[in-house]
Structure formats: C-alpha cells, structure tokens
Amino acid sequence: EEEGTNFRKHHPTTVFLFSPRVVAVHMTSPDSAVIVEVLLSALGCASSASLARKVVLFFDLCEAQFSLQSHYDFSLRAIKRMLQCVGHALSSEDAAPDAQPLVIAAIHQTCACMLAGA
C-alpha cells in the first residue's frame, strides 16, 4: 500500500494515463491528400499540393469503380507503394525533374496488373 502511494506521488501522469477516468479517443479516416502532399514534399516535389490532389482523385476513382475484391487495392497502402517508386526514380535522377511524369510512370508500374484486365 505504501509503495503504491509513493509511486503515485512521484509519477502522477503515469497514474492518470492508466486511470479509468481517461476519455476515449475516436478514430477518424486519414486525410489521404495531406499525407500524399507531405510525402511528395519530402521527396522534393515542387508542385506537391496539386499533384497530391490528382493522385488521390485517381486512386479514389479506381477504388469506387473497381470490384471490392482484395486484389484491387487502391487504398493508402497502394498510394504509399506508388510513392516509394517515385522516390526511387527521383533518387536515381541527377537533376530535379518534373515529378508528374515520374508519378504517371510509377502508377503504371504499380497498378498496371490491376488495370490490365479492367
């Protein structure tokens, strides 16, 4: 008993975190446009805001139009995979090229197998 009281005196925030009075946190859906914009900016893309909107619109349209089967993955995971291909292409370039053709090529590379039969 004395040991627990001593712990609460020295670590009040830890006790608060695990107390039953903590308010529940609700999950929301991620803002894909903001995530893609930040990732494109991190890759060095100058026009990341407009390009992010186009990429998210493309993947949202694909997700809405194609079947709900698991092999049609147009979620944020697929966008991230496509952006990794853009990052590899940008790292192999010497100059800072326009990112839009690289994004188109990366979409073709990562989504061609899903779009071929459509």
Side-chain angles (χ1 to χ4, degrees), residues 4-100:
T5 306
N6 191 20
F7 179 79
R8 282 192 294 267
K9 285 180 186 175
H10 295 295
H11 305 334
T13 56
T14 307
V15 173
F16 175 73
L17 287 175
F18 295 107
S19 88
R21 292 177 275 142
V22 176
V23 178
V25 177
H26 297 281
M27 295 293 292
T28 59
S29 61
D31 189 353
S32 299
V34 173
I35 294 170
V36 172
E37 182 180 352
V38 168
L39 290 172
L40 284 170
S41 295
L43 292 173
C45 177
S47 59
S48 60
S50 65
L51 197 52
R53 284 192 303 273
K54 292 175 186 177
V55 166
V56 170
L57 178 63
F58 173 77
F59 277 88
D60 285 347
L61 287 172
C62 287
E63 190 171 24
Q65 296 294 319
F66 291 107
S67 172
L68 296 176
Q69 295 177 0
S70 62
H71 60 273
Y72 288 116
D73 182 21
F74 296 104
S75 63
L76 193 56
R77 181 181 312 141
I79 297 173
K80 176 75 170 130
R81 189 176 339 119
M82 183 271 305
L83 288 174
Q84 286 174 340
C85 290
V86 172
H88 290 301
L90 282 173
S91 66
S92 66
E93 296 284 330
D94 292 333
D98 183 23
Q100 186 164 348

